[in-house]
C-alpha cells in the first residue's frame, strides 16, 4: 500500500506557461491566482478570513490548537514536487488558493456545448445550477473537520494524530478553494454562500450540513479510517466529475484538490489495513483461527474482523447515498450544461458524450422485486458514477483480504448489495440485506445488528479509544505503519503536544 498521486491528477502535456506560476507566500492569502491584481476580490477574501479562523478555532481539532504538527503545506502545483513539510501550529497553517495549470485549448467535454472552448466566466444561463454544485462540494469540507473534531484526544499514535490533522487542514484548504470560486465568480450571492458555509454545523438540528453522511458522527478511529477510505473516495469521484467541468476555474480547482485527496485515501486504506494486520497477528499468536470467536479476540485488545465488516457496511451505505438518486434530472441538467462530467469523461470512448440515445442499466425495486432496467443514460448519470465508485472501492478491499488470506484466516471482506441500508434514491424506503434480498421491516429489525454496528460493538470500540502518544508507540489494535511520513521513521515525534 503505497501513497500514490492519482493518475487523474496528472497534468497533461499541453499546460500553459502557468505551469510554473509560483505560489505567493508573502501575500496574506497564499495563492497562484495573482490575487494581488484583483483588490476587490482580495478584500472580500480577507474579510472572510477572520470568520474562517474563528470557525477553525471553534470547530477544528479540539485541544490541539497550540500543538506543533509535522504538516505538509502545498507550495506549488507541479506534480513532481508540490509540498513542503515542517512543524506548524494548525491555526497558523497557510491555507492557500491553488489552481492546477490551465490546459491551453481545453474544450467542454460533454453535453450540448461539447467541443466549445471552456468558460473562464460563469455562463449566465447556468449560474444557479453551478453555484449549487460548488456550494454542495464546499459544504462537505468543513463538515468533515467538524465530524472529526474530538478524535485527536484518542489517537492511537502520534503518527495517526498527525495524519488526522493533515487531513483536517487540507479539508480546510478545500473549503478555501471553493470559497474563492464563490467570491470571485458569484458576487453578492457568492459572498453570502461563503458566510453560510461558516455557519452550518455537522449534525446540528436547526442548521445542518447539506448532505446526509456529513451529519453522521465520527465517534472513533475505526469510523475515521472507514470514512477516509469510503467517504473521501466519494470526494475523489465527485471531484473527478467536477474536474471535467466546462467551467474551467472549477475544473482547475478540483484537479489540484485531487492531488491532496490521494493522501486522505491512503490514510483510510492503510489505517484499516493496519487494524486488520494487528488483529490477524494477535489471533495467530494466541492460536485463534475462528474469526467469529469474538470474545476471545476482543480480549486480545484487537478488533474482530466481523465488526470491521459491520463498520464498513455502515460507511459504504451512507456514502453511496451521497451520489444522489440513481435516476436524476438534476444530474442530467448538470451534464447537458457541461458543468459536471462522468468519471474520466474526456477519456471515455464509445459514446458521443451527449448521451441523447444511449441507455444505462439501473437496478430498481419494482413490484416488490429487484429488477434491472435500461433507462436513458442521461438520467442515470448518478447511477453510473455510483457504479464507478463501487468498482473503485474494491481495490483496497482486495488488498485487505490478501492480509487475511496470508494469515490463513477464513474471512473475506465484501461490499454489501448496492441497495443495502439506503435512504436516498431507488432503494430508499426499502429494506435490503447485504446479499440483496428484499426484506420485511420485521426481518430487517431481527437481523440488522449482525450487519451494522450494534450497541455492544460501540461499547467495545469505546473501550479501545485510549490515547497512545509516546513517540513510536501504537495502540494494541493497530499495527505500526510500514513507512513514516516524508521518509521520517515511525518513532518520529509527529506532533509536539503543547
Ligand atoms: N443527503 O436528484 P438528486 C467530499 C438532495 S464528498 C441529503 O437525488 P443530485 C468529501 C439534492 O441536493 C463529495 N440531500 O441528486 C469527502 C437535491 O436537493 P435540491 C461532495 C441529498 O442533485 C470527505 C435533492 O436531494 N461533492 O468532497 O443529482 C471529506 C434531489 O437530488 C442527498 C459533491 O457531492 C444526500 N445524500 O445529486 C471531505 C459534488 N443526495 O437541490 C469532503 C457536488 C441528494 O433539490 N454535488 N440530495 O435542494 C452534486 O453533484 C450533487 O448535488 C449530488 C446530488 C451528487 C450531491
Amino acid at each position: 500500500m503505497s501513497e500514490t498521486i492519482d493518475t487523474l491528477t496528472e497534468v497533461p502535456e499541453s499546460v500553459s506557461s502557468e505551469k510554473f506560476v509560483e505560489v505567493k507566500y508573502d501575500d496574506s492569502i497564499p495563492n497562484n491566482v495573482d490575487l494581488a491584481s484583483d483588490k476587490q476580490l482580495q478584500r472580500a477574501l480577507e474579510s472572510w478570513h477572520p470568520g474562517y479562523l474563528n470557525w477553525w478555532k471553534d470547530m477544528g481539532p479540539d485541544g490541539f490548537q497550540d500543538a506543533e504538527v509535522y504538516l505538509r503545506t502545498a507550495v506549488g502545483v507541479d506534480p513532481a514536487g508540490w509540498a513542503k513539510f515542517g512543524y506548524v501550529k494548525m491555526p497558523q497553517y497557510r491555507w492557500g488558493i491553488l489552481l492546477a495549470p490551465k490546459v491551453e485549448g481545453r474544450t467542454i467535454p460533454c453535453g450540448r456545448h461539447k467541443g466549445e472552448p471552456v468558460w473562464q466566466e460563469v455562463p449566465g444561463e447556468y449560474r444557479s445550477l453551478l453555484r449549487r454544485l460548488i456550494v454542495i462540494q464546499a459544504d462537505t469540507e468543513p463538515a468533515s473537520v467538524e465530524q472529526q473534531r474530538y478524535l485527536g484526544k484518542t489517537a492511537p499514535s502520534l503518527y495517526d494524530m498527525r495524519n488526522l490533522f493533515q487531513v483536517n487542514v487540507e479539508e480546510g484548504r478545500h473549503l478555501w478553494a471553493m470559497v474563492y470560486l464563490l467570491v470571485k465568480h458569484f458576487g453578492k450571492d457568492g459572498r453570502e454562500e461563503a458566510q453560510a458555509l461558516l455557519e452550518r454545523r455537522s449534525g446540528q438540528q436547526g442548521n445542518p450540513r447539506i448532505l446526509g453522511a456529513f451529519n453522521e458522527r465520527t465517534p472513533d478511529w475505526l469510523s475515521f479510517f472507514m470514512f477516509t477510505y469510503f467517504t473521501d473516495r466519494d470526494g475523489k469521484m465527485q471531484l473527478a466529475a467536477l474536474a471535467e467541468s466546462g467551467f474551467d476555474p472549477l475544473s482547475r480547482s478540483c484537479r489540484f484538490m485531487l492531488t491532496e485527496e490521494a493522501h486522505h485515501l491512503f490514510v483510510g486504506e492503510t489505517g484499516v489495513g493496519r487494524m486488520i494486520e494487528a488483529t490477524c497477528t494477535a489471533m495467530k499468536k494466541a492460536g485463534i483461527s475462528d474469526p467469529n470467536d469474538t470474545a476471545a479476540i476482543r480480549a486480545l485488545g484487537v478488533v474482530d474482523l466481523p465488526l470491521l465488516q459491520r463498520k464498513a457496511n455502515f460507511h459504504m451505505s451512507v456514502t453511496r447515498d451521497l451520489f444522489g438518486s440513481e435516476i436524476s434530472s438534476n444530474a442530467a441538467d448538470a451534464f447537458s450544461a457541461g458543468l459536471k462530467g462522468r468519471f474520466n469523461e474526456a477519456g471515455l470512448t464509445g459514446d458521443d458524450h451527449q448521451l441523447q440515445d444511449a441507455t444505462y442499466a439501473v437496478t430498481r425495486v419494482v413490484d416488490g422485486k429487484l429488477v434491472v432496467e435500461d433507462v436513458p443514460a442521461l438520467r442515470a448519470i448518478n447511477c453510473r458514477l455510483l457504479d464507478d465508485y463501487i468498482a473503485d472501492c474494491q481495490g483496497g478491499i482486495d488488498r485487505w483480504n490478501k492480509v487475511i488470506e496470508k494469515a490463513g484466516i477464513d474471512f473475506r471482506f465484501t461490499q454489501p448489495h448496492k441497495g443495502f441500508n439506503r435512504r436516498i434514491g431507488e432503494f430508499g424506503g426499502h429494506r435490503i440485506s447485504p446479499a440483496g434480498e428484499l426484506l420485511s421491516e420485521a426481518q430487517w429489525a431481527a437481523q440488522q445488528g449482525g450487519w451494522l454496528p450494534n450497541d455492544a460493538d460501540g461499547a467495545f470500540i469505546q473501550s479501545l479509544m485510549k490515547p497512545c502518544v509516546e513517540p513510536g508507540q501504537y495502540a494494541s489494535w493497530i499495527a505500526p505503519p510500514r513507512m513514516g511520513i516524508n521518509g521520517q521513521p515511525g518513532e518520529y515525534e509527529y506532533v509536539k503536544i503543547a
Side-chain angles (χ1 to χ4, degrees):
M1 292 180 234
S2 63
E3 186 173 356
T4 52
I5 301 290
D6 195 291
T7 48
L8 265 167
T9 65
E10 275 172 16
V11 174
E13 304 265 299
S14 57
V15 290
S16 73
S17 55
E18 279 185 65
K19 177 166 180 178
F20 297 112
V21 171
E22 290 251 335
V23 180
K24 295 223 170 69
Y25 268 87
D26 338 331
D27 293 3
S28 66
I29 302 163
N31 69 91
N32 70 348
V33 294
D34 197 14
L35 200 53
S37 71
D38 187 341
K39 292 292 171 213
Q40 203 186 350
L41 172 63
Q42 190 173 17
R43 271 197 301 276
L45 287 168
E46 279 170 1
S47 72
W48 184 80
H49 197 167
Y52 170 81
L53 282 177
N54 286 339
W55 165 80
W56 178 270
K57 285 181 189 151
D58 288 350
M59 297 311 296
D62 187 41
F64 294 91
Q65 300 288 343
D66 290 324
E68 301 263 355
V69 188
Y70 187 68
L71 292 175
R72 79 175 176 188
T73 304
V75 292
V77 292
D78 189 337
W82 55 272
K84 76 173 172 52
F85 289 78
Y87 285 105
V88 184
K89 286 186 183 172
M90 284 183 279
Q92 286 154 23
Y93 189 77
R94 304 303 308 275
W95 285 285
I97 297 163
L98 299 162
L99 266 57
K102 206 179 220 171
V103 177
E104 286 308 331
R106 181 168 177 261
T107 56
I108 298 168
C110 60
R112 63 178 76 90
H113 302 284
K114 183 182 165 347
E116 296 173 18
V118 287
W119 301 294
Q120 299 304 331
E121 298 298 332
V122 174
E125 70 267 45
Y126 306 133
R127 196 170 188 276
S128 63
L129 186 54
L130 182 58
R131 191 185 63 203
R132 179 80 181 148
L133 288 175
I134 295 173
V135 166
I136 292 179
Q137 179 61 50
D139 190 69
T140 62
E141 315 290 1
S144 67
V145 176
E146 293 165 2
Q147 288 172 298
Q148 296 161 14
R149 169 167 163 69
Y150 297 108
L151 290 176
K153 295 188 166 166
T154 54
S157 71
L158 290 181
Y159 166 88
D160 291 293
M161 187 190 283
R162 176 265 169 210
N163 284 348
L164 165 72
F165 295 158
Q166 182 71 60
V167 168
N168 292 161
V169 293
E170 285 177 351
E171 301 302 5
R173 205 204 67 71
H174 291 180
L175 173 60
W176 271 94
M178 292 297 112
V179 162
Y180 162 74
L181 296 177
L182 288 170
V183 173
K184 179 170 165 71
H185 294 281
F186 293 88
K188 186 164 172 282
D189 312 357
R191 291 194 296 278
E192 283 169 8
E193 294 283 14
Q195 183 54 33
L197 283 160
L198 298 177
E199 290 168 5
R200 285 188 286 274
R201 291 284 181 273
S202 175
Q204 198 180 76
Q205 202 98 59
N207 196 13
R209 292 294 171 185
I210 298 171
L211 298 178
F214 292 91
N215 289 303
E216 298 285 347
R217 291 173 63 238
T218 308
D220 56 69
W221 278 79
L222 278 66
S223 299
F224 172 67
F225 290 130
M226 294 294 177
F227 183 97
T228 40
Y229 187 74
F230 291 110
T231 310
D232 277 82
R233 192 169 302 277
D234 170 47
K236 169 185 164 181
M237 304 306 286
Q238 298 291 351
L239 289 173
L242 293 173
E244 303 288 341
S245 181
F247 179 53
D248 206 39
L250 175 61
S251 165
R252 291 172 61 198
S253 291
C254 292
R255 272 172 38 215
F256 187 67
M257 289 159 77
L258 279 163
T259 312
E260 293 161 313
E261 200 69 38
H263 175 69
H264 308 185
L265 299 172
F266 162 86
V267 168
E269 180 174 337
T270 54
V272 177
R274 289 163 52 217
M275 289 193 281
I276 294 169
E277 196 182 323
T279 303
C280 292
T281 307
M283 283 174 68
K284 262 179 107 173
K285 207 165 149 205
I288 302 170
S289 56
D290 178 2
N292 295 308
D293 195 353
T294 308
I297 295 167
R298 291 186 181 184
L300 303 172
V302 293
V303 186
D304 49 297
L305 301 176
L307 167 49
L308 286 177
Q309 174 75 64
R310 287 195 286 280
K311 272 286 203 190
N313 286 348
F314 173 76
H315 286 272
M316 280 187 257
S317 54
V318 298
T319 303
R320 290 168 179 180
D321 276 343
L322 292 175
F323 288 80
S325 303
E326 283 82 354
I327 300 175
S328 161
S329 58
N330 285 346
D333 288 347
F335 180 87
S336 292
L339 298 179
K340 184 179 173 189
R342 291 166 293 177
F343 187 64
N344 194 24
E345 181 71 46
L348 291 178
T349 51
D351 64 48
D352 61 358
H353 300 269
Q354 290 181 321
L355 302 179
Q356 273 152 2
D357 305 314
T359 58
Y360 190 79
V362 178
T363 307
R364 319 188 64 179
V365 184
V366 179
D367 298 333
K369 285 203 192 79
L370 289 169
V371 295
V372 178
E373 275 183 11
D374 281 338
V375 306
L378 194 52
R379 301 188 61 231
I381 292 283
N382 286 346
C383 185
R384 174 161 183 163
L385 195 61
L386 173 58
D387 290 343
D388 288 342
Y389 164 78
I390 291 173
D392 202 66
C393 284
Q394 193 58 39
I397 295 175
D398 290 343
R399 285 185 284 277
W400 297 338
N401 282 337
K402 284 219 174 77
V403 178
I404 305 172
E405 197 180 334
K406 225 167 136 191
I409 297 167
D410 185 17
F411 186 90
R412 297 294 172 265
F413 286 102
T414 53
Q415 295 201 54
H417 185 273
K418 199 159 52 159
F420 171 72
N421 195 37
R422 295 287 304 279
R423 293 199 189 147
I424 303 269
E426 289 300 316
F427 308 105
H430 298 282
R431 295 301 196 184
I432 297 174
S433 73
E437 302 130 339
L438 269 161
L439 304 176
S440 66
E441 197 59 43
Q443 287 170 314
W444 170 265
Q447 295 180 82
Q448 65 144 327
W451 297 328
L452 292 167
N454 53 48
D455 291 347
D457 293 339
F460 171 64
I461 294 170
Q462 281 311 317
S463 77
L464 294 179
M465 294 297 114
K466 305 268 166 13
C468 185
V469 293
E470 283 301 308
Q473 297 292 306
Y474 291 81
S476 59
W477 51 269
I478 191 159
R482 301 253 157 79
M483 275 189 308
I485 294 296
N486 191 34
Q488 303 290 2
E491 65 271 18
Y492 191 70
E493 193 175 3
Y494 288 102
V495 183
K496 295 181 183 168
I497 297 169

